[in-house]
Amino acid sequence: MAVDVVVVGGGPVGLLLAAELRLAGVGAVVLEKRPDINPHSRAFRLQPRTLEILDARGLLDRFRKDNLMWPSAHFAGIKPLLNLAGLESEHPYSLLIPQARTERLIEAHARELGAEIRRGHEVVDLRQDDDTVTVQVREGDTEYELRADFLVGCDGGGSTVRKLAGIEFPGTGGSVAALLGDVTIVEPEKLPSGVPGTMRTANGLLMAVALEAPTTRVLTTEFGREHADRTAPVTLDELRESILRVTGQEVRLRDPQWLSRFTDATRLAEKYRSGRILLAGDAAHVHFPIGAQGLNLGLQDAMNLGWKLAAEVNGWAPKGLLDTYARERQPVARAVLRETQAQLALMNPDERINPLRELFGQLLALDAVNLFLSRLVSGTDVRYAFDPADEADPLVGGYAPAIAIRTADGRGRVAELLRSGRGVLLVLGDLLEASALQGGWARRVEVVTADPVDKPEVKALLLRPDGHVVWAAPLDAVQEETRTGLRQALTTWFGAPDEDGRG
Ligand SMILES: Cc1cc2nc3c(=O)[nH]c(=O)nc-3n(C[C@H](O)[C@H](O)[C@H](O)COP(=O)(O)OP(=O)(O)OC[C@H]3O[C@@H](n4cnc5c(N)ncnc54)[C@H](O)[C@@H]3O)c2cc1C
């Protein structure tokens, strides 16, 4: 059997990647070892950049339905909170949504687009040559082989694909022992003040958040302590003892729905690609889950990779396009790793950290600092260095700006132009004739002429399918130069024009 792309791991990242591949007409088979979606949610928050990409694919309403929007975030639990409402984003808030629901919604989207999702199928081995990758898959008592043009490991932090591909995962091991329990607290009135919420004591951290009644998510983090066995099941007693050590309070717990352990191991794959094998999501990077970023980072990896891999399979990818995936995404992951380490260091219970927290509190009260950190944790600061000389328009490299527009067919926002997963040349007014494109890219890039509603600073924008701006012409651009720059950008990102003139 042969398929275009095998995606190993049907977590959120693998599912979104499969959907993106299908959107571009590429065959995608997801192999997931679990029989069903994990009902226990690790993540509970989607960040503004993720909301922007969901909006771009027309999915945001499904995600927002029945889930809370919160215009804040925190940095190391220090007050004042981050004010996301100040972001230059159409979605300046976090969406509070359990990961299991996120996964169900992405899976439904991937299936609607025709992705094949095989649950209960575990990848146990793989090999590659110049032309194909072959995986060995275990399904119950039987095994089979599957061949593909490419394979993407979206199989989480312990990634089998990463190990089998021989990709190193350097970084630091755990220096804290964290426990998670979705439990019923027998006498909640015995909880120390400050809980529910996050509490930093001289011995560690306790976080408690109400889930569906009567369940509460309790998280403890103890510094300078290691789990004796990272894979050993957690018991209620173990969690109770940890709460006692952190808070000095004996808290009775019952009805555990889910108990788990984790650490602050922080690692980044040395490369995201080995031949025909790529990595995305936690398979490529792990860090302490502070600030709600791992899932968001991974979904944004999938959005970056999907169209590039599809272009490769569809045969029109310009040389080197696929390698821009790692070039763009590895630095973004590196920045998140550094920032989560910084947040955890600020949460260290050592009292010598207190002055630093106080100082940080003063800094957070400054609008500029608050905005800087809001951009950082929300992912809206991500800007790719397309032009190392940095001579391009300031919009180039960043995400599509939220310009209000009016198209003949009634579209009013840039996000609505990205639904099809193709590139978009947005022409505001009459700077460029749409015919400039008819020489070859029309199938890969949609030309949209629109009237600007407000006064825009640009007259034309070329967007990649993942929403990033690769070319922009300012209002005063000279027409001939504009055309040359546009053709260059089209060739760089969308390949040579088709000779039949239809793209
Ligand atoms: C306590 C906690 C709270 C968190 N909160 C947040 C948050 O609020 N926001 C946020 O953004 N992130 C958060 N995260 C991180 C987030 O949960 C992960 O980053 C996210 O799940 C990564 O998605 P993924 O698809 O890359 O990997 P995973 O979700 O781990 O999915 C990998 C999938 O691959 C499958 N698999 C593994 N090996 C194989 C194999 N050999 N064959 C087939 N299938 C395989 C697994 O069964 C799994 O379904 C949190 C994490 C923790 C621990």
Side-chain angles (χ1 to χ4, degrees):
M1 275 195 290
V3 296
D4 289 338
V5 179
V6 162
V7 177
V8 184
V13 175
L15 292 169
L16 184 64
L17 179 66
E20 284 295 298
L21 292 166
R22 288 300 307 137
L23 192 61
V26 164
V29 173
V30 178
L31 301 172
E32 166 56 54
K33 68 178 176 187
R34 288 184 58 92
D36 46 22
I37 285 179
N38 187 346
H40 306 299
S41 293
R42 280 174 281 165
F44 269 87
R45 214 145 23 110
L46 295 181
Q47 304 282 18
R49 175 51 46 82
T50 304
L51 302 176
E52 289 169 351
I53 64 178
L54 294 173
D55 189 13
R57 295 297 184 251
L59 297 170
L60 193 59
D61 288 345
R62 303 184 196 182
F63 277 76
R64 280 201 300 211
K65 190 169 177 294
D66 301 330
N67 294 306
L68 220 67
M69 293 184 260
W70 191 48
S72 310
H74 73 87
F75 194 82
I78 300 172
K79 296 277 170 51
L81 292 174
L82 297 176
N83 173 24
L84 299 184
L87 292 170
E88 318 76 350
S89 165
E90 269 192 85
H91 304 292
Y93 52 86
S94 315
L95 187 69
L96 306 185
I97 174 170
Q99 181 164 338
R101 198 174 301 161
T102 294
E103 290 184 25
R104 274 200 297 277
L105 289 169
I106 303 178
E107 174 165 329
H109 169 61
R111 284 193 194 277
E112 279 163 23
L113 289 168
E116 187 185 337
I117 299 163
R118 300 185 190 171
R119 293 198 167 273
H121 292 233
E122 179 179 6
V123 167
V124 290
D125 202 2
L126 57 80
R127 61 182 190 276
Q128 64 169 324
D129 56 32
D130 289 347
D131 303 316
T132 52
V133 192
T134 308
V135 275
Q136 185 75 20
V137 188
R138 184 178 299 142
E139 184 201 3
D141 298 336
T142 60
E143 288 198 3
Y144 67 93
E145 279 195 349
L146 186 60
R147 239 172 341 105
D149 287 352
F150 287 94
L151 175 142
V152 188
C154 301
D155 49 345
S159 176
T160 302
V161 169
R162 189 186 64 232
K163 289 172 194 155
L164 290 171
I167 298 176
E168 296 294 324
F169 202 36
T172 51
S175 68
V176 303
L179 296 179
L180 175 158
D182 291 347
V183 295
T184 302
I185 299 175
V186 180
E187 296 152 307
E189 64 283 0
K190 284 209 175 154
L191 281 173
S193 67
V195 176
T198 303
M199 195 186 172
R200 177 172 165 267
T201 73
N203 297 318
L205 307 173
L206 172 69
M207 199 186 91
V209 188
L211 301 180
E212 204 169 307
T215 307
T216 300
R217 167 155 300 182
V218 179
L219 284 156
T220 59
T221 305
E222 294 183 74
F223 289 67
R225 199 181 171 93
E226 276 180 50
H227 294 300
D229 177 358
R230 174 77 182 76
T231 56
V234 180
T235 63
L236 262 190
D237 266 350
E238 191 182 354
L239 182 59
R240 186 185 48 73
E241 283 162 16
S242 177
I243 298 172
L244 179 62
R245 278 192 300 274
V246 171
T247 67
Q249 294 271 39
E250 185 74 62
V251 178
R252 277 169 53 215
L253 312 168
R254 62 174 164 79
D255 296 339
Q257 308 292 309
W258 185 39
L259 294 165
S260 172
R261 68 178 79 239
F262 56 99
T263 75
D264 62 336
T266 301
R267 299 183 180 280
L268 179 65
E270 48 139 1
K271 53 187 181 182
Y272 280 17
R273 178 180 181 191
S274 166
R276 295 183 166 271
I277 299 170
L278 296 113
L279 300 176
D282 276 16
H285 38 70
V286 292
H287 56 81
F288 191 67
I290 192 165
Q293 288 167 94
L295 166 62
N296 286 273
L297 184 62
L299 292 177
Q300 291 156 35
D301 286 348
M303 191 75 171
N304 186 294
L305 176 58
W307 71 277
K308 294 173 182 174
L309 192 52
E312 196 72 45
V313 173
N314 284 329
W316 61 257
K319 196 166 177 322
L321 179 71
L322 194 51
D323 289 327
T324 66
Y325 164 60
R327 214 159 45 240
E328 291 171 4
R329 295 305 299 170
Q330 231 177 357
V332 175
R334 197 172 285 121
V336 171
L337 265 47
R338 189 190 55 178
E339 172 247 300
T340 51
Q341 284 177 314
Q343 290 203 54
L344 191 63
L346 280 165
M347 300 204 75
N348 191 303
D350 189 325
E351 62 179 22
R352 285 168 297 184
I353 300 293
N354 296 354
L356 193 54
R357 289 179 67 83
E358 278 167 34
L359 187 66
F360 242 85
Q362 289 173 321
L363 289 172
L364 280 165
L366 302 176
D367 289 346
V369 176
N370 198 293
L371 182 61
F372 174 84
L373 292 173
S374 298
R375 284 185 180 138
L376 208 63
V377 301
S378 65
T380 57
D381 68 326
V382 171
R383 181 171 183 267
Y384 302 132
F386 295 151
D387 174 21
D390 218 12
E391 286 169 354
D393 187 282
L395 288 173
V396 171
Y399 195 75
I403 306 170
I405 53 169
R406 200 177 302 115
T407 65
D409 59 5
R411 289 176 285 180
R413 297 182 308 117
V414 177
E416 291 170 41
L417 311 181
L418 291 161
R419 301 282 193 263
S420 72
R422 286 196 290 161
V424 173
L425 175 63
L426 171 61
V427 182
L428 297 165
D430 56 2
L431 183 73
L432 291 159
E433 300 142 39
S435 61
L437 261 201
Q438 274 160 13
W441 290 276
R443 266 200 298 255
R444 292 168 239 166
V445 179
E446 184 191 0
V447 182
V448 181
T449 48
D451 291 327
V453 173
D454 313 313
K455 272 204 182 132
E457 285 172 12
V458 289
K459 269 270 174 160
L461 284 174
L462 179 61
L463 303 174
R464 302 193 314 195
D466 63 358
H468 279 266
V469 180
V470 289
W471 172 88
L475 273 173
D476 55 359
V478 181
Q479 191 136 346
E480 197 43 48
E481 281 175 22
T482 309
R483 281 175 190 284
T484 311
L486 174 59
R487 288 188 76 81
Q488 262 170 13
L490 283 163
T491 310
T492 302
W493 294 103
F494 296 97
D498 266 4
E499 282 177 9
D500 68 2
R502 289 187 313 174

